[in-house]
Amino acid sequence: MKYSANSVWENKDEYDVVVVGAGHAGCEASLACARMGFKTLMFTVSVDSIALMPCNPNIGGSSKGHLVKEVDALGGEMGKVIDQTFIQSKMLNQSKGPAVHSLRAQADKANYSKTMRRVLENQDNLEIKQMEVTEILAEDVDDGTEKRKRITGVRTYSGAIYSCKAVVLCTGTYLRARCIYGDVSMQTGPNGLQPANYLTDSLKELGITMYRFKTGTPARIDKRSIDFSKMEEQKGDERVVPFSFTTNPEDVQIEQVSCWLTYTNEKTHEIIRSNLDRSPLYSGMIEGTGPRYCPSIEDKVVKFADKNRHQVFIEPEGLDTNEMYVGGMSSSLPEDVQYAMYRSVTGLENAKIVRNAYAIEYDCIDARQLKSTLEFKNIDGLFSGGQFNGSSGYEEAAAQGLVAGINAARKLQGKEGIIIDRSEGYIGVLIDDLVTKESHEPYRMMTSRAEYRLLLRQDNADLRLTKLGYEVGLIDEERYQGLLEKERQITEEIARVENVYVGTTEEVQNLLKEYGSTPLVSGAALADLIRRPELSYEILEPIDKMRPELKYDVIEQVNINIKYEGYIKRQKKQVEQFKKLEKKKIPADINYEEVQSLRIEAKQKLSQIRPASIGQASRISGVSPADISVLLVYLESR
């Protein structure tokens, strides 16, 4: 039911941008708009929920670490805040190649939220308002080609109208939110916060197609009731790598807190199997579609029936709390079953539950209604980011929020929005997948989704994206000049080691023998030795007498670029072909019904999504290579 306030009044304060929501997407969107010079108002159902982490207590992880690095490279805030508030840090996948190395940090949840809130509250051009937004206000615009709508403001629960020129929707999991476990169903947002029950109707009236998705979270357990002696201790890295390229690595070498690893067992699985009829997931009580790549423990036991155990990570929620997060065991089973299930796990025999596990349903959109700039196709000035777009995860949300905020500001500047393509960043892959491909479940970023992942490493995110951050106005001159100097040093050092030769001296041969490398029979360039799998730029330091003093991040790039030179060149050629298709633009006014020989399904999908380029069209499900050939011929004839 649409909400109507008893009194309607217009707030006379003038705003350029309104951001709805203060989660990870809302924070980045608000900061981007304000820092780009626009008066911004951020609404939240609770000021205490700013940058809330209602699920896992970590930032980063496989592929997600790439996103955080890219957010930082563009001038976002998430990487800086986690560098100040982490309690454990670990580089994942170090046994594999650099393309899949991903940084993950355990966060002190309360401190993370407090630190981000402090940044927001002290940002020029930004105001924060605790109030539910119930309606998006827009006027009709007829430019002679198609009828559209244009944003004019928002209305709140109190009846106040706030005029603005752009709105960024970052509603997270709050729209008509419902938390469920067993037969308990509560109209509430995450962590017991107030849901936003009225905005969905306003969005539907604007012609926006809505989905109903679901996600879940495990129980939190009192640390004092856990027997850690039965678990495997998981320590952080000895040498911490920061998320932000602006963080001094020496400032983050702190004393870290341990996490712990245990496992479910057959008893756990039997408890779950015997109570599946009481699970709202299987009883039909839950309507929304859950994330395939972050399944509940019920789903794991049913879908992987051959597995006799599953990993369970016990992770601290912060330094000033005894709450421990039970990673890997999200659930919506009844409370009594949760107690039995968790207490069957080794080390949790006497577990005391502080917060029950639950599933949460919420409204979100079909993101194919968005342009690649994250602006709605038929509503000028309306942008969106985060879980509202059908994604999952803090990092995916922050990345979208940043891009939506930048593009809302650029629209007000009269400039074209930025589009990061699939060859330029994980952010590009994320957004392109969301706006191009049909998704009936929460989208999760994974390294396997990035076809150019050898080029899109987390270690070179600044080299890929910081110039763009500088162009839009989120990177200052000092940081930009530092990037140019880093590029110069990398280029010069690669050229130097390609042209420095070492001979068959005793010192050289002994070093090669020490690392199990084949002795030289004649002189060789240092670069050729670096290419050997067992050697590296750093290992060769004793025989490189003229080596300049360089920072670790420069050394890292020199080593990777030389060692993987062949693979990198091959992938760059693939990107050249990709760019050719991306550059073939499709006119916005094209009528696909007039394109003869296009299959009916292709016409429907192309008309619905309206891709901006041939490259984007080729990635639409239901559009075949033959359809693309027909479309190319048609465009040539035009």
Side-chain angles (χ1 to χ4, degrees), residues 75-103:
E77 197 67 25
M78 177 176 267
K80 296 175 183 176
V81 174
I82 188 60
D83 281 347
Q84 296 174 57
T85 59
F86 78 94
I87 54 179
Q88 190 199 87
S89 179
K90 202 161 193 140
M91 185 68 75
L92 305 183
N93 304 322
Q94 289 197 75
S95 62
K96 301 176 182 177
V100 293
H101 291 178
S102 274
L103 190 60

Side-chain angles (χ1 to χ4, degrees), residues 496-511:
R496 187 188 73 83
V497 295
E498 290 280 8
N499 292 285
V500 171
Y501 287 78
V502 293
T504 57
T505 65
E506 183 178 357
E507 182 184 17
V508 170
Q509 303 291 41
N510 285 341
L511 184 139

Side-chain angles (χ1 to χ4, degrees), residues 174-349:
Y174 285 85
L175 288 190
R176 293 199 307 130
R178 182 171 71 123
C179 289
I180 310 152
Y181 57 92
D183 58 2
V184 176
S185 175
M186 300 172 289
Q187 298 297 318
T188 177
N191 274 22
L193 290 164
Q194 172 189 331
N197 287 325
Y198 302 103
L199 186 56
T200 292
D201 292 323
S202 172
L203 298 175
K204 286 180 177 179
E205 286 183 7
L206 289 171
I208 295 172
T209 301
M210 306 295 293
Y211 282 161
R212 186 79 171 158
F213 277 179
K214 164 256 170 191
T215 187
T217 191
R220 311 310 194 263
I221 289 176
D222 190 326
K223 180 168 65 175
R224 296 168 298 177
S225 66
I226 299 173
D227 186 350
F228 294 107
S229 67
K230 297 180 179 179
M231 301 178 178
E232 300 171 29
E233 187 173 9
Q234 307 285 299
K235 295 184 177 181
D237 290 340
E238 286 188 19
R239 183 71 182 173
V240 172
V241 176
F243 269 107
S244 176
F245 292 97
T246 65
T247 299
N248 182 351
E250 299 309 314
D251 293 341
V252 293
Q253 307 309 318
I254 64 168
E255 185 177 346
Q256 300 181 55
V257 176
S258 290
C259 297
W260 304 83
L261 173 64
T262 184
Y263 299 88
T264 62
N265 51 57
E266 280 298 341
K267 182 181 178 183
T268 315
H269 299 179
E270 181 52 38
I271 291 169
I272 293 168
R273 281 191 291 263
S274 62
N275 285 281
L276 283 176
D277 61 318
R278 300 180 64 196
S279 167
L281 271 178
Y282 291 90
S283 68
M285 186 175 178
I286 290 179
E287 305 167 14
T289 307
R292 181 185 314 183
Y293 301 104
C294 189
S296 67
I297 191 63
E298 299 98 287
D299 266 347
K300 288 181 187 178
V301 169
V302 171
K303 293 177 180 176
F304 305 103
D306 57 316
K307 303 288 185 184
N308 58 16
R309 69 176 191 173
H310 294 284
Q311 289 182 324
V312 179
F313 291 95
I314 308 299
E315 303 170 331
E317 296 251 303
L319 297 178
D320 299 319
T321 177
N322 283 331
E323 284 189 73
M324 303 293 284
Y325 179 88
V326 189
M329 286 190 76
S330 68
S331 176
S332 59
L333 285 163
E335 185 174 13
D336 60 312
V337 181
Q338 289 189 32
Y339 266 103
M341 173 182 74
Y342 287 124
R343 286 179 173 177
S344 70
V345 175
T346 302
L348 299 181
E349 293 87 352

Side-chain angles (χ1 to χ4, degrees), residues 489 493 537 547-555 558:
Q489 290 180 2
E493 186 61 3
Y537 178 90
R547 174 170 295 190
E549 187 174 334
L550 300 170
K551 291 183 179 179
Y552 175 76
D553 57 346
V554 174
I555 292 171
V558 171

Side-chain angles (χ1 to χ4, degrees), residues 84-151:
Q84 296 174 57
T85 59
F86 78 94
I87 54 179
Q88 190 199 87
S89 179
K90 202 161 193 140
M91 185 68 75
L92 305 183
N93 304 322
Q94 289 197 75
S95 62
K96 301 176 182 177
V100 293
H101 291 178
S102 274
L103 190 60
R104 183 183 67 196
Q106 297 296 138
D108 185 314
K109 283 187 172 183
N111 197 15
Y112 183 94
S113 177
K114 181 178 72 174
T115 303
M116 183 68 82
R117 177 174 169 178
R118 185 165 58 242
V119 172
L120 291 159
E121 289 180 336
N122 289 284
Q123 175 62 50
D124 292 341
N125 296 320
L126 178 59
E127 295 178 27
I128 300 168
K129 176 76 173 176
Q130 180 170 295
M131 181 60 69
E132 180 182 348
V133 172
T134 59
E135 190 175 353
I136 303 300
L137 305 176
E139 62 184 8
D140 291 326
V141 177
D142 191 346
D143 59 8
T145 57
E146 60 177 330
K147 291 184 178 180
R148 308 172 58 79
K149 290 188 179 294
R150 180 169 57 207
I151 288 297

Side-chain angles (χ1 to χ4, degrees), residues 560-590:
I560 290 173
N561 278 280
I562 291 174
K563 194 172 280 292
Y564 296 94
E565 179 185 21
Y567 298 103
I568 290 172
K569 282 183 177 178
R570 188 183 310 163
Q571 197 145 96
K572 283 182 176 178
K573 286 184 179 178
Q574 294 171 348
V575 168
E576 288 175 12
Q577 296 302 314
F578 163 81
K579 291 281 192 183
K580 288 179 182 177
L581 292 178
E582 296 302 301
K583 287 178 181 177
K584 292 185 184 296
K585 300 300 181 183
I586 300 176
D589 62 347
I590 186 172

